[in-house]
Amino acid sequence: MNKDWKKNIVLFLISQTISLFGTSLVQYAIMWHITLTTQSGLMMTISIICGFLPMFLLSPFAGVWADRYNRRNLIALSDSFIAISTLILAILFYLGYGSIWLLFAVSAVRSFGSAIQGPAVNAFIPQLVPEDKLTKVNASSGSIQSMVTLLSPMISGALLSLISIEFIFLIDVVTAAIAVCILLMFLHTKPHAKALEKQEESYFSDMNKGVKYIKEHKFLKLYFAFLAVFFVLFAPAAFLTPLQTARSFGDDVWRLTALEVVFSAGMILGGIVMAYWGGFKNKINTMALSCFVVGGCTIALGLVPNFWAYILFMGLFGVVMPMLNTPAMVLLQEKVEADFMGRVFSILGMISSIMMPFGMLVFGPLSDLVKIEWLLVGTGAMVIVLTFFFRSSKVLIEAGKPVVKTNFREERD
């Protein structure tokens, strides 16, 4: 491990925070533009599919690239690709060619960049950070990202009332350029071992080895199966709550802003708690606690009639999300061999990028026929039932136990 790891991870987190800020401004601007312009569950579904399906299609290749090539350079390349597509979008809107369908198209193009970036970032962090610091670093990173997400909707909402949407797109271009400069000019770290080797096998051969690696590990199969079902059930809470707010409480921009701000504030608090607490000794128990609360909050979001009670539960929702995300990420970073990490995270990206849109294919059009409140109550109850099965798996419980490093071997508590 590089002795300058603290300096490197700080530089890396700064670059990703700056990049995330611009990306968040654009994402909120696009989401709110579609929500307030159409108030259609079908249009929201198309938007979500355009943002996730390309990620699913490219993820298998992106995972191989993250294991084969310099991960820092891949992250810089993906940031640049996203910035260029956003710049083109800004120019087209400025020239008067803006439309909902153009936003869908650019969301798909940006999704390709995100597909490359995701596995590379997740595999790059354990390359920079000692294993015993992964939970603290991932939790701290989550809090920083939540802080950006807290500020982004407020700033985006304010900007939308002052300037046209194409100028918000330009902010993303500038922040991406700064992030890339930090990565390439100031972050100096050696590529991982496989990236230094001559790559003689084909992409598909490497891809098949990654799939075989997952099949041979019962923990990974069960873990990914749980996440796949969870992502489907999570879709209404993740994507339909802004539409529910517009329909049930009013389509004012401040309400959508308040929703995102309270959720992000909760995630900041949850990230701080995870950074200092670290969760239960067994990471599966921490994830299970989070999932139980997520299910309960989802049910509550479908039942409360008052907007202020609604955002209170949204805040609690945010608090427990780092208790799910952090151990879920660290568990893979600890258990997966370094040479397979990119491919494993790409499979995780594929699962999230296809299962959540799949959920929206069902729940999005259904939200135009059935009250969103009923969808939230139903999916929340199913999340609670799913968590009982997750917590009862002996394979997952065993995998979640902490690993004690010795000079000669690893021992489980």
Side-chain angles (χ1 to χ4, degrees):
M1 182 63 63
N2 192 318
K3 63 180 180 180
D4 296 327
W5 73 268
K6 290 184 179 179
K7 173 187 173 183
N8 286 336
I9 193 61
V10 168
L11 285 170
F12 180 68
L13 291 180
I14 289 174
S15 73
Q16 293 305 291
T17 300
I18 293 171
S19 176
L20 177 64
F21 175 69
T23 299
S24 295
L25 288 182
V26 170
Q27 287 176 338
Y28 283 117
I30 291 176
M31 179 178 69
W32 289 349
H33 183 78
I34 294 172
T35 300
L36 298 177
T37 302
T38 69
Q39 290 199 26
S40 167
L42 178 59
M43 291 294 104
M44 288 295 292
T45 301
I46 294 173
S47 175
I48 298 304
I49 291 173
C50 288
F52 279 91
L53 186 58
M55 190 182 299
F56 170 78
L57 297 175
L58 191 62
S59 284
F61 298 96
V64 174
W65 295 336
D67 285 335
R68 283 189 170 204
Y69 304 120
N70 188 317
R71 289 161 180 163
R72 184 200 64 169
N73 294 346
L74 278 175
I75 296 167
L77 177 65
S78 64
D79 263 339
S80 301
F81 180 77
I82 293 171
I84 291 171
S85 66
T86 306
L87 177 60
I88 294 172
L89 176 65
I91 293 172
L92 290 174
F93 260 73
Y94 181 76
L95 294 176
Y97 295 103
S99 71
I100 295 293
W101 295 100
L102 181 60
L103 291 178
F104 293 159
V106 172
S107 293
V109 173
R110 287 167 60 89
S111 179
F112 280 115
S114 298
I116 298 171
Q117 190 175 44
V121 167
N122 291 328
F124 192 49
I125 288 177
Q127 187 179 323
L128 296 175
V129 180
E131 186 173 297
D132 61 340
K133 304 295 183 183
L134 281 173
T135 296
K136 185 178 289 291
V137 168
N138 277 283
S140 300
S141 174
S143 289
I144 294 170
Q145 291 177 18
S146 298
M147 179 65 75
V148 173
T149 309
L150 173 66
L151 297 174
S152 296
M154 292 187 289
I155 297 173
S156 184
L159 289 175
L160 276 173
S161 64
L162 297 173
I163 60 177
S164 57
I165 194 171
E166 58 263 28
F167 291 104
I168 298 178
F169 297 155
L170 289 177
I171 295 174
D172 187 30
V173 177
V174 174
T175 55
I178 295 172
V180 170
C181 286
I182 293 174
L183 279 177
L184 297 182
M185 296 176 63
F186 300 103
L187 180 57
H188 304 295
T189 183
K190 292 181 180 180
H192 59 290
K194 187 174 175 62
L196 298 173
E197 299 173 359
K198 183 179 179 181
Q199 308 299 329
E200 298 180 348
E201 294 186 274
S202 68
Y203 283 110
F204 289 102
S205 176
D206 263 357
M207 200 184 303
N208 288 334
K209 282 187 176 181
V211 173
K212 183 179 179 183
Y213 179 83
I214 293 172
K215 287 182 177 179
E216 291 175 349
H217 290 73
K218 194 173 182 180
F219 150 66
L220 289 175
K221 287 192 294 184
L222 287 172
Y223 192 64
F224 284 163
F226 162 76
L227 291 176
V229 179
F230 178 84
F231 285 139
V232 172
L233 299 177
F234 189 65
F239 298 121
L240 292 178
T241 46
L243 183 59
Q244 178 197 12
T245 299
R247 287 180 179 177
S248 301
F249 302 112
D251 60 358
D252 309 284
V253 171
W254 74 265
R255 293 185 188 275
L256 299 179
T257 303
L259 201 65
E260 299 297 338
V261 166
V262 170
F263 180 79
S264 299
M267 286 197 67
I268 293 172
L269 178 59
I272 293 172
V273 170
M274 281 301 297
Y276 283 93
W277 171 43
F280 297 117
K281 278 190 173 184
N282 193 307
K283 294 179 179 63
I284 297 298
N285 289 336
T286 309
M287 292 176 65
L289 172 64
S290 175
C291 289
F292 278 127
V293 179
V294 164
C297 286
T298 303
I299 293 172
L301 291 175
L303 295 177
V304 294
N306 180 274
F307 180 69
W308 299 110
Y310 185 87
I311 62 172
L312 178 65
F313 280 106
M314 186 61 75
L316 179 58
F317 206 131
V319 169
V320 298
M321 284 308 295
M323 300 177 191
L324 173 63
N325 296 336
T326 301
M329 192 67 65
V330 173
L331 200 56
L332 292 179
Q333 290 172 341
E334 287 180 347
K335 304 298 179 185
V336 177
E337 295 174 30
D339 287 349
F340 288 92
M341 203 165 290
R343 279 164 285 182
V344 169
F345 275 114
S346 75
I347 297 297
L348 177 60
M350 288 177 65
I351 292 172
S352 63
S353 62
I354 196 62
M355 299 313 291
M356 292 183 79
F358 175 77
M360 281 300 292
L361 277 175
V362 176
F363 298 118
L366 197 58
S367 69
D368 290 331
L369 303 173
V370 179
K371 290 181 67 175
I372 294 175
E373 285 80 357
W374 291 113
L375 298 180
L376 291 171
V377 170
T379 54
M382 286 188 279
V383 166
I384 292 175
V385 173
L386 176 67
T387 306
F388 276 111
F389 287 102
F390 175 71
R391 177 59 183 78
S392 64
S393 170
K394 293 181 180 179
V395 173
L396 294 176
I397 289 295
E398 181 63 28
K401 291 180 179 179
V403 175
V404 176
K405 292 273 188 178
T406 70
N407 291 329
F408 306 100
R409 64 191 178 92
E410 293 184 351
E411 295 179 339
R412 296 199 176 278
D413 285 351

